[in-house]
Amino acid sequence: MSRRKVMRFLKTRLPDPQVVQKYLLNYAARELYLNPGQFPIICSASLFANERPLALEVGCGCGEYLCSLAKNNPTTNFVGIDKSPKSLYQGVFIAEAYGLQNVKFIEVDMHLLYPLLVPSALQTVYLHFPEPYYKPQIRARRRIFSPRFLDAMYQALQPGGLLSVVSDHEEFFMEMLELAEHDGRFAKAHAERYIEGFDPGVKSRFQMTWEGYGVVPRRFTLRKETVGETTSLTGAKIGEIV
């Protein structure tokens, strides 16, 4: 069952417009592609008017996990991005219920967000349960985890910043892991090659759905290494490991 099919079962209920304005931003695809400079950049100063550490969840779904992190870490800011407004409305309801002041959601395609990422602005990035896209004709175009994604994360993460990756799809997970292992700009933040299972205090709706079928997720966490100058996986000069 794909992430999209899980979302079909959500009941659509619109939050109060004032609550939506507080928590949810819409980065319209056409305008973002043509004129990215009109949108707020991805940093705490721009989105929260402060200088606190910032964490980003790519594909946050309904925001259960992100809001739990924000609730338990009130001195860190959290941003969740997703393409589904139905899912993001659920996140808005959760943020309002918790009374959170340190979380925002953005309706946006991650592929279009790269120009707005600020160098060294992110403390942590979460990519949990990304859609694997089984059909070969759309896989390369829509999958998030790629050389371009790693280049963008390397730029956006602060030195020592973390990239957490979790998947319930074995083949897709191993593809991501092998790509990460060939990128010398990152090091594993754990001794194991990867870790079986993922048991946060609050699980996403998507994770609980798959675990109900007996699927055990796998995860790995990468740490951005200290840099000088080197060549990225896409061939751009971006810094050398020192």
Side-chain angles (χ1 to χ4, degrees):
M1 184 185 298
S2 68
R3 179 185 287 263
R4 182 179 302 176
K5 289 183 179 179
V6 172
M7 294 302 110
R8 286 179 185 172
F9 294 100
L10 286 177
K11 295 181 179 180
T12 303
R13 183 165 62 97
L14 298 180
D16 182 274
Q18 291 184 334
V19 177
V20 172
Q21 185 176 17
K22 177 179 179 180
Y23 288 112
L24 180 59
L25 302 173
N26 184 306
Y27 286 22
R30 177 176 173 80
E31 287 77 7
L32 181 57
Y33 178 77
L34 294 175
N35 187 17
Q38 68 176 297
F39 295 93
I41 57 178
I42 308 304
C43 67
S44 281
S46 175
L47 296 172
F48 296 92
N50 60 46
E51 298 296 334
R52 291 176 176 175
L54 180 64
L56 173 71
E57 183 175 14
V58 180
C60 64
C62 296
E64 302 98 336
Y65 178 65
L66 188 74
C67 286
S68 71
L69 291 175
K71 181 180 179 182
N72 294 328
N73 300 275
T75 59
T76 298
N77 295 323
F78 293 86
V79 175
I81 67 172
D82 205 283
K83 295 189 295 184
S84 169
K86 182 186 289 189
S87 300
L88 294 173
Y89 286 147
Q90 300 298 317
V92 168
F93 281 120
I94 296 171
E96 180 190 21
Y98 286 166
L100 299 175
Q101 304 299 317
N102 61 329
V103 68
K104 298 272 188 191
F105 297 98
I106 304 176
E107 182 183 341
V108 67
D109 184 336
M110 181 64 196
H111 293 99
L112 298 175
L113 194 66
Y114 294 134
L116 300 182
L117 296 175
V118 176
S120 301
L122 300 177
Q123 184 180 71
T124 310
V125 175
Y126 304 97
L127 180 64
H128 291 179
F129 305 100
E131 181 67 66
Y133 292 109
Y134 303 101
K135 296 182 179 179
Q137 62 268 33
I138 65 173
R139 181 182 301 159
R141 186 173 74 254
R142 296 189 182 178
R143 276 188 177 180
I144 296 296
F145 199 93
S146 66
R148 185 187 180 200
F149 176 76
L150 288 173
D151 287 350
M153 294 303 98
Y154 185 77
Q155 292 281 13
L157 283 166
Q158 64 187 38
L162 299 176
L163 170 59
S164 172
V165 180
V166 181
S167 179
D168 48 57
H169 189 277
E170 181 178 3
E171 181 182 353
F172 180 36
F173 177 82
M174 296 309 297
E175 289 177 8
M176 293 190 291
L177 179 62
E178 290 174 7
L179 182 60
E181 289 174 337
H182 284 86
D183 192 329
R185 299 169 298 172
F186 297 93
K188 297 274 183 65
H190 44 80
E192 308 90 339
R193 187 184 183 199
Y194 62 86
I195 300 171
E196 292 274 357
F198 179 58
D199 192 24
V202 175
K203 297 182 179 181
S204 70
R205 187 184 308 247
F206 189 79
Q207 179 177 355
M208 290 189 293
T209 297
W210 273 110
E211 287 184 343
Y213 290 97
V215 178
V216 177
R218 296 174 172 85
R219 62 190 174 102
F220 63 86
T221 302
L222 304 177
R223 179 182 293 110
K224 175 180 174 177
E225 295 283 70
T226 307
V227 299
E229 185 177 87
T230 190
T231 302
S232 72
L233 292 181
T234 57
K237 294 285 186 180
I238 49 90
E240 181 181 353
I241 305 292
V242 295

